[in-house]
Amino acid sequence: MKTTITALKRLVRDDAGAQATEIALGIVLIALVAGLGMVEFGAELRDFFTNTANSLQGANPGAIPPVPPAD
């Protein structure tokens, strides 16, 4: 019993790995926000990119300028 209490006290005081835990929680938070954003704004984003692609399809870039002669 005493060794268990000693191990638990040591575990509470030991902060090795705290930075890795913070980074993991940050990654989870970013993934949640990105996922919720995609669910919430998915249709608007689809429409935006579809409209952009359609407007680019009709673009006419013009002629390619000639290459200058070598000296």
Side-chain angles (χ1 to χ4, degrees):
M1 180 71 174
K2 187 171 183 161
T3 57
T4 306
I5 293 173
T6 305
L8 288 174
K9 285 181 183 178
R10 193 173 52 223
L11 182 64
V12 170
R13 278 187 262 140
D14 186 19
D15 62 351
Q19 186 176 12
T21 304
E22 291 173 2
I23 291 171
L25 288 174
I27 290 171
V28 168
L29 178 66
I30 290 170
L32 282 173
V33 169
L36 289 174
M38 285 184 240
V39 168
E40 187 66 29
F41 301 113
E44 289 88 357
L45 284 172
R46 181 196 61 220
D47 293 341
F48 171 75
F49 285 116
T50 301
N51 292 338
T52 303
N54 289 337
S55 68
L56 289 175
Q57 281 180 341
N60 186 2
I64 298 174
V67 177
D71 290 332

